Amino acid sequence: MKLSEIQINNFMGIEKLALEFKYPNGKPLDMVVLAGPNGCGKTSVLEACILALGRKKLLPNPKKNSQYTRKGSEQFSISVTFIVGEGETGYADVTPRGTKYKGKFPPEYFPKHDNSQDRLVILEDEYVDMPTEYFSSWRYPKLVGSVPVSIGGKNEKPADTEDNRLYLIKQHLINLTASKAFEEDDQEVVSEEKAAYEAMNTLWNYFYPNRNERFVAKRDTSGGFDIFLDDRASEPVPLDSLSSGEIEVFTLIGQKIIKPVSDGIIFIDEPELHLHSSWHRGILRALKKIFSGNQIICATHSQEILDSAYSYERFTLLPEDDPRIRLDKSKGGK
């Protein structure tokens, strides 16, 4: 699934906006980069897309639908065009009353609904399972130290929210290591654990190719379990002791391991967050590698990131009062 067009009216700070995320040949883009100054509506575009996908729960501060209406307007509207599966076209129309979908969407996207009529209405509190992930500009995970093994579900997991990502990734990797220890004859379990750590370490080495480091699960000094980065120093380094940029990289690649999205859309607000400026020019290549097979839509303040995108992948938004969006009629404008 890929998003190819969006029209936004009276949503948040946006009065009227239409964007086409397409290659010159008309096919939907694999990478979209939104840029512009503070207040131009970059984050609002991301949130409008997420609402159209029925995934409002991914937002860090979700509101009632009516609260998204632009001040002074009666209601907002969002219209989105998707390319689904083998070239099928789907549509979503969002208003404060709910979201209406039309098109041949896979039935797993709407687990509570009969899609036989190719038309269904999703209300504000219902569930949609569009393959989507969102990394907001507010992201920074809680540092949690060691975490318990939770095989069998006896320990209650924290909520699946952005600030709990580090905990959930740690617990997933630790559970895999514990499962392998208890079921070492089960080749499926052994293979799953091996594949997860290999993926983590391969992607980490893509960011840091000269370090020869790897992640491992071990007991910490408190007797609990934690994830350590090995081969950095004489002793393995606890994950929480890494820099904010390194933890950002770990959570990006770790989220792919615990919640893989396939043929979906990944939204990232400020992919440069916590990263050194030397990484800005290469971050889009890294994201394509991490989230291969998905459309990536991101918003950035970094000129280096914008410059690293192709011209047709760049969308620069401007505030309504910016003089560059006004047409000078004295020079032939109509």
Side-chain angles (χ1 to χ4, degrees), residues 81-92:
T81 303
F82 306 102
I83 303 302
V84 187
E86 298 299 322
E88 296 283 355
T89 302
Y91 305 92

Side-chain angles (χ1 to χ4, degrees), residues 150-214:
S150 64
I151 299 173
K154 292 184 179 180
N155 292 304
E156 185 176 346
K157 287 185 178 180
D160 187 7
T161 57
E162 199 164 49
D163 59 347
N164 287 326
R165 274 187 177 139
L166 190 62
Y167 184 107
L168 295 170
I169 296 167
K170 280 187 180 187
Q171 189 167 68
H172 178 80
L173 293 172
I174 287 167
N175 283 350
L176 286 175
T177 300
S179 296
K180 187 187 75 169
F182 285 118
E183 304 175 55
E184 58 184 10
D185 294 331
D186 188 329
Q187 290 306 305
E188 185 175 340
V189 171
V190 172
S191 296
E192 184 181 1
E193 193 256 5
K194 181 180 179 181
Y197 280 96
E198 280 186 353
M200 291 289 301
N201 292 326
T202 297
L203 291 170
W204 180 263
N205 288 330
Y206 181 78
F207 278 85
Y208 304 105
N210 301 317
R211 293 190 184 178
N212 193 33
E213 298 168 336
R214 61 191 179 90

Side-chain angles (χ1 to χ4, degrees), residues 29-265:
L29 289 168
D30 294 310
M31 173 68 72
V32 173
V33 182
L34 303 171
N38 289 328
C40 67
K42 300 186 299 296
T43 298
S44 295
V45 172
L46 299 183
E47 294 192 356
C49 294
I50 290 167
L51 288 182
L53 289 161
R55 300 302 305 275
K56 185 168 68 173
K57 290 182 180 178
L58 293 177
L59 301 178
N61 298 296
K63 307 176 178 69
K64 291 183 178 180
N65 271 11
S66 60
Q67 294 176 308
Y68 289 104
T69 301
R70 187 172 184 265
K71 187 176 181 180
S73 304
E74 292 185 4
Q75 70 170 24
F76 73 84
S77 66
I78 303 166
S79 296
V80 170
T81 303
F82 306 102
I83 303 302
V84 187
E86 298 299 322
E88 296 283 355
T89 302
Y91 305 92
D93 292 301
V94 189
T95 68
R97 294 187 297 274
T99 307
K100 183 183 293 183
Y101 295 91
K102 185 178 180 180
K104 293 185 178 180
F105 293 93
E108 62 266 23
Y109 289 5
F110 302 97
K112 291 185 178 180
H113 297 271
D114 177 8
N115 198 19
S116 60
Q117 302 300 314
D118 294 335
R119 190 177 192 78
L120 30 83
V121 176
I122 308 299
L123 301 177
E124 188 175 352
D125 60 347
E126 293 188 335
Y127 176 61
V128 179
D129 198 20
M130 297 281 198
T132 310
E133 193 56 69
Y134 181 45
F135 296 86
S136 80
S137 62
W138 297 97
R139 65 188 182 274
Y140 190 76
K142 297 175 185 174
L143 301 181
V144 294
S146 62
V147 300
V149 174
S150 64
I151 299 173
K154 292 184 179 180
N155 292 304
E156 185 176 346
K157 287 185 178 180
D160 187 7
T161 57
E162 199 164 49
D163 59 347
N164 287 326
R165 274 187 177 139
L166 190 62
Y167 184 107
L168 295 170
I169 296 167
K170 280 187 180 187
Q171 189 167 68
H172 178 80
L173 293 172
I174 287 167
N175 283 350
L176 286 175
T177 300
S179 296
K180 187 187 75 169
F182 285 118
E183 304 175 55
E184 58 184 10
D185 294 331
D186 188 329
Q187 290 306 305
E188 185 175 340
V189 171
V190 172
S191 296
E192 184 181 1
E193 193 256 5
K194 181 180 179 181
Y197 280 96
E198 280 186 353
M200 291 289 301
N201 292 326
T202 297
L203 291 170
W204 180 263
N205 288 330
Y206 181 78
F207 278 85
Y208 304 105
N210 301 317
R211 293 190 184 178
N212 193 33
E213 298 168 336
R214 61 191 179 90
F215 290 103
V216 294
K218 295 183 178 183
R219 283 191 178 275
D220 64 9
T221 55
S222 70
F225 297 91
D226 204 348
I227 300 298
F228 293 82
L229 188 60
D230 210 355
D231 291 336
R232 162 169 289 194
S234 57
E235 294 290 332
V237 180
L239 184 58
D240 291 13
S241 297
L242 300 182
S243 71
S244 59
E246 290 170 323
I247 291 175
E248 170 71 7
V249 171
F250 178 86
T251 53
L252 278 171
I253 61 182
Q255 189 71 4
K256 171 188 169 67
I257 302 302
I258 66 170
K259 288 179 65 179
V261 175
S262 178
D263 191 26
I265 306 177

